[in-house]
Amino acid sequence: MCAMWNQLSTVDFVASVALSKDDPAVDARRRPNATIEKLPDKVLMHIFSYLTHREICRMARVCRKWRLIAYDTRLWKSVSLRPEISGLHVGSLEALLALISIRFGPSLRYIELPIELITHTVLHELSNKCPNLTHMLLDFSTAMQLHDFSEMQAFPAKLKYMVICLSEVIFMEGFMRKIYNFINGLEILHLIGTYEKVEEEEEEIYEVINVHKLKSATPNLRVINLYGINFIDDSHIDAFSSNCIQLECLAVNFCNKVTGSTLKTLFQRSRRLKCLLMHQTSLISEHVMAVEWEKVSLQELDISATDVSTECLIDLLTRIPNLRFLSAGQLNSFNDTVLKAWMEGGNPRNLIALDLDSSDNLTDDALYKFLSRHGQQLSGLVLSGMPHITDQLWMSVMPILNNAKILVMGTPERLGVNIHVDQLMDGIANNLPRLERLELRWDPQNLRFSDKSQKAIDILRVKCLKLRCLVLNDGRYYEIVKANFERADRNTVVRTSTSSRVSNYYLLGNYKDLVFN
């Protein structure tokens, strides 16, 4: 009985969010004899659409009516079967085949499959029973052995988006050879490596998927994300650019073998390329400077945590004609000289997002001059990881940043000065009405606040109505802020840095296409 009441309270809560005040069904619920069972099926369906599939399955046990609604195929358009990534657990292939036939059907648009459920029989069923399937994730990352695909004759043929999580040791060519004829309509491709699992010791590197053959089968790609793959190098970038003339976005973050030697060719071939993300690659300055940056259409660039020189940065930033997004954090070479050269000889007038995380060689005076001139146009600004950038600089530029949607400030290092967070929150509330995401990375021991902190938090909550994410380091101030927002029924806003981080990536033009988990 307790479990059932918990389920009902969950749906009641979602109903209060999902339904407008003008809905007659809401008025009915307010009458003494009204219950949730009185709601029309279409309203219950809308309420259920806010729940996860795990919650929907629990609701199906409440009554026969709810079971019929819970298993309506319209609620099963997007399905994850990876329980470790908040998905459903399916105990057997037979159970999955039944789900595909009975519950998914033509409504299914997106599915995530773990290695144990990737078989030729399952793929046949998805092809035959789910004709509108356009998005698929295949997780081979934990594979030590693949199923036999020698009999596979069918595969979903309308895919526009595909993610393949690669194994460290399993060669994929046998499987890939079977699907090449079905994936020529792909527009978005993610190949996800095992960067986060790699140990420091050097091990033999296997090219577990043949990129040179894959590129021939996917000529219509707009977005390519090669994330954390230890065998990806410049030749693979060259291969994709030779066949993908529609390419708009290329991400090779954490691909350590990429040096930039084929960048010049990439831009000569891919005239539509607007987004290039190369975080923590092994870029060589000479290769970067060889690119004809004056002729490119590039608008978004990430070169954070690379080893490019000061000379390279000046050359790059003064030649790119229309840069809107720049992530150049963790660069010792990014100093005041670079910022001054960019203002005087470049074109930062179109910039909307700037990330200079941990760029310790930038002074607060140089940053103030830059932000005084260009701060008003910025939607996102990250100045974290620099101990000398305190609340004083932020308070001085706050009135200029009135269009900001994303701000990241502070450093987890213990400082010799204190951060007066009440004053900071008050300045944010009164100057940044468009703010959506905010992260304060300062150590809790450096935050100074008074008994009147609640008032500053109240003003922030009331004036920044678009704020959906406020990240703080775990500590007393975090508990105060969290309790304040929860009392106002905004439970999901305040988060700790252990479970959430804020970045400018939300402002990328292809952000939704780049999300792969």
Side-chain angles (χ1 to χ4, degrees):
M1 181 62 72
C2 289
M4 184 176 294
W5 277 113
N6 287 336
Q7 293 161 4
L8 289 170
S9 63
T10 300
V11 174
D12 282 334
F13 171 74
V14 175
S16 68
V17 176
L19 299 176
S20 70
K21 294 181 180 178
D22 298 328
D23 196 311
V26 177
D27 293 334
R29 290 177 68 240
R30 290 171 181 156
R31 291 194 289 270
N33 60 345
T35 65
I36 196 167
E37 285 78 12
K38 301 289 185 180
L39 292 176
D41 288 358
K42 66 177 182 179
V43 176
L44 279 174
M45 176 80 72
H46 185 63
I47 295 170
F48 275 39
S49 70
Y50 284 80
L51 305 176
T52 67
H53 284 131
R54 287 183 180 180
E55 291 170 327
I56 289 174
C57 289
R58 289 199 296 270
M59 297 306 151
R61 299 198 294 267
V62 172
C63 64
R64 184 177 300 174
K65 178 180 179 180
W66 284 25
R67 181 181 179 85
L68 290 173
I69 293 172
Y71 291 160
D72 191 297
T73 58
R74 287 172 291 180
L75 291 175
W76 297 83
K77 294 179 180 180
S78 178
V79 179
S80 172
L81 301 179
R82 298 192 295 164
E84 71 280 6
I85 315 288
S86 302
L88 290 174
H89 173 71
V90 176
S92 66
L93 290 173
E94 291 74 18
L96 175 56
L97 295 174
L99 286 173
I100 293 172
S101 179
I102 299 170
R103 196 173 306 171
F104 299 167
S107 295
L108 189 67
R109 301 289 193 276
Y110 175 93
I111 191 167
E112 296 182 2
L113 294 173
I115 176 60
E116 61 271 17
L117 299 179
I118 305 173
T119 69
H120 74 274
T121 307
V122 169
L123 296 173
H124 280 182
E125 282 296 289
L126 287 172
S127 174
N128 294 331
K129 302 291 177 60
C130 305
N132 297 310
L133 182 62
T134 57
H135 292 59
M136 176 180 280
L137 183 150
L138 302 174
D139 189 352
F140 295 98
S141 61
T142 59
M144 298 306 293
Q145 183 177 345
L146 292 185
H147 293 282
D148 181 12
F149 294 99
S150 58
E151 298 181 11
M152 189 168 75
Q153 302 297 326
F155 189 80
K158 291 186 178 180
L159 292 181
K160 300 295 183 184
Y161 169 106
M162 185 165 71
V163 181
I164 300 178
C165 300
L166 302 176
S167 167
E168 291 182 283
V169 294
I170 298 299
F171 295 92
M172 304 284 299
E173 192 52 34
F175 169 75
M176 297 301 296
R177 195 163 45 242
K178 288 290 186 177
I179 72 171
Y180 283 145
N181 292 332
F182 300 97
I183 61 174
N184 55 15
L186 275 184
E187 296 180 5
I188 301 161
L189 173 66
H190 296 257
L191 297 180
I192 309 304
T194 54
Y195 166 79
E196 295 174 356
K197 301 178 182 178
V198 172
E199 298 179 358
E200 291 186 6
E201 297 180 7
E202 287 289 334
E203 298 181 359
E204 188 174 355
I205 295 175
Y206 301 101
E207 191 164 338
V208 297
I209 194 168
N210 192 324
V211 171
H212 296 275
K213 289 185 179 179
L214 176 61
K215 61 96 177 180
S216 299
T218 53
N220 297 307
L221 290 176
R222 292 187 300 104
V223 178
I224 300 173
N225 181 21
L226 310 175
Y227 180 92
I229 307 176
N230 54 12
F231 65 81
I232 288 292
D233 58 26
D234 299 280
S235 69
H236 300 104
I237 295 177
D238 185 64
F240 274 120
S241 68
S242 68
N243 197 51
C244 304
I245 61 174
Q246 310 291 335
L247 192 60
E248 298 174 4
C249 175
L250 174 65
V252 289
N253 292 341
F254 303 100
C255 294
N256 293 325
K257 287 193 170 185
V258 172
T259 67
S261 62
T262 58
L263 283 180
K264 183 176 181 179
T265 307
L266 168 68
F267 282 105
Q268 288 173 343
R269 292 170 174 169
S270 305
R271 298 291 184 181
R272 300 184 181 184
L273 189 64
K274 294 182 179 180
C275 178
L276 179 63
L277 309 178
M278 309 186 80
H279 184 104
Q280 201 164 318
T281 53
S282 300
L283 288 180
I284 295 175
S285 297
E286 289 75 11
H287 296 331
V288 176
M289 294 168 70
V291 179
E292 298 175 298
W293 294 110
E294 301 90 346
K295 301 178 181 179
V296 303
S297 300
L298 191 69
Q299 296 182 5
E300 301 168 343
L301 177 65
D302 186 349
I303 50 173
S304 293
T306 59
D307 288 325
V308 293
S309 65
T310 297
E311 181 187 7
C312 177
L313 286 170
I314 293 174
D315 179 78
L316 177 74
L317 294 176
T318 54
R319 291 166 62 200
I320 297 180
N322 190 28
L323 198 61
R324 290 171 55 81
F325 178 108
L326 176 65
S327 183
Q330 303 173 53
L331 294 177
N332 290 330
S333 52
F334 205 118
N335 53 32
D336 292 0
T337 306
V338 175
L339 209 55
K340 182 179 179 182
W342 189 18
M343 283 193 291
E344 295 177 353
N347 181 27
R349 290 186 296 276
N350 296 315
L351 193 73
I352 63 166
L354 179 63
D355 182 345
L356 297 174
D357 174 66
S358 301
S359 296
D360 292 330
N361 291 326
L362 283 167
T363 65
D364 52 357
D365 183 57
L367 286 168
Y368 179 78
K369 289 178 180 178
F370 183 86
L371 294 174
S372 296
R373 187 180 300 182
H374 300 289
Q376 193 167 23
Q377 70 201 45
L378 294 180
S379 294
L381 178 61
V382 178
L383 296 180
S384 53
M386 293 182 273
H388 60 286
I389 304 300
T390 64
D391 52 335
Q392 292 184 1
L393 175 65
W394 283 104
M395 289 302 298
S396 63
V397 299
M398 205 74 74
I400 307 168
L401 302 173
N402 57 332
N403 288 309
K405 296 180 180 179
I406 299 172
L407 288 182
V408 181
M409 57 185 75
T411 176
E413 302 174 35
R414 189 71 63 86
L415 303 179
V417 296
N418 293 323
I419 306 300
H420 299 281
V421 71
D422 288 350
Q423 183 181 1
L424 189 63
M425 287 294 195
D426 191 65
I428 292 171
N430 288 307
N431 291 288
L432 307 176
R434 294 181 173 87
L435 194 65
E436 297 177 6
R437 300 178 185 274
L438 172 66
E439 181 171 358
L440 275 61
R441 295 182 182 173
W442 282 295
D443 186 295
Q445 297 298 322
N446 285 122
L447 297 181
R448 289 294 175 267
F449 49 93
S450 67
D451 295 336
K452 298 181 180 179
S453 283
Q454 290 288 356
K455 182 178 180 181
I457 301 169
D458 284 339
I459 295 173
L460 177 75
R461 178 172 46 76
V462 171
K463 291 196 173 183
C464 296
L465 295 176
K466 295 183 178 181
L467 188 65
R468 65 182 71 174
C469 179
L470 171 54
V471 179
L472 299 163
N473 277 321
D474 203 355
R476 186 182 166 207
Y477 188 71
Y478 161 77
E479 297 295 341
I480 293 173
V481 178
K482 184 175 177 63
N484 185 292
F485 274 77
E486 286 180 345
R487 283 196 297 272
D489 288 332
R490 295 178 66 183
N491 300 334
T492 62
V493 173
V494 184
R495 310 169 192 179
T496 68
S497 56
T498 56
S499 59
S500 184
R501 295 299 292 268
V502 171
S503 83
N504 279 344
Y505 266 34
Y506 302 105
L507 298 172
L508 289 173
N510 294 98
Y511 171 71
K512 291 183 179 180
D513 295 333
L514 288 166
V515 175
F516 58 84
N517 259 344

